[in-house]
């Protein structure tokens, strides 16, 4: 959803990422309102493994989300280079899980979790980039995210360590 650009915040003199909404979204009042609600929800999150939302900007009919610029490859690029050793893959998976846990504690479900939305910095830090969210927790959403996390781990080519059980609790 949208094109992402590197830009300079001239007020604070820093590099940022700007995600410009496609015209179809920006011209649809319902989608735009949802996008703004989601951005406000995400902006309330403060976690080292979740990209920070800086602002929503509107100019000349263009709506853009200004976000923390995260340097590094996305996880899909890392996977494309070949198998990631277990001693590197496990910390990546742990940081993804910590980001999801922090979001879940705020009632936020990441609806577009995939390797392309996970940035891996050169220092090994992992950042889940802001994508689309759902503002309420549901049992189904938790199952889907658990499944996606398993798929990400499979993409990392982590060998199976036996049988895995996913425990799902009803959201309160």
């Amino acid at each position: 959803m949208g094109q992402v650009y590197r830009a300079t915040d001239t007020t604070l003199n820093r590099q940022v990422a700007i995600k410009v909404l496609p015209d179809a979204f920006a011209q649809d009042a319902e989608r735009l309102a949802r996008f703004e609600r989601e951005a406000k929800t995400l902006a309330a999150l403060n976690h080292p493994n979740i990209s920070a939302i800086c602002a929503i900007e509107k100019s000349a009919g263009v709506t853009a989300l200004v976000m923390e610029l995260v340097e590094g490859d996305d996880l899909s690029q890392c996977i494309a280079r070949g198998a990631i050793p277990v001693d590197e893959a496990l910390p990546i998976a742990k940081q993804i899980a910590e980001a999801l846990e922090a979001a879940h504690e705020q009632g936020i479900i990441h609806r577009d979790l995939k390797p392309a939305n996970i940035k891996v910095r050169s220092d090994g830090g992992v950042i889940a980039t802001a994508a689309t969210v759902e503002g309420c927790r549901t049992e189904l959403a938790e199952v889907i995210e658990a499944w996606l996390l398993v798929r990400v781990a499979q993409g990392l080519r982590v060998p199976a360590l036996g049988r895995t059980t996913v425990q799902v609790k009803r959201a309160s």
Side-chain angles (χ1 to χ4, degrees), residues 16 20 34-36 61 84 86 93 118 125 138 140-141 148 152-154 159:
V16 294
V20 178
R34 180 178 171 182
F35 172 77
E36 289 177 0
I84 297 173
V86 173
I118 304 292
T138 64
L140 177 60
L148 286 169
V152 167
Q154 288 173 343

Side-chain angles (χ1 to χ4, degrees), residues 3 8 21 28-29 78 86 100 108 114 128 149 154 156 167:
Q3 199 66 21
T8 301
L21 287 181
D28 183 330
C78 298
V86 173
L100 290 174
I108 297 170
K114 58 187 177 188
L149 191 56
Q154 288 173 343
L156 294 173
Q167 181 179 10

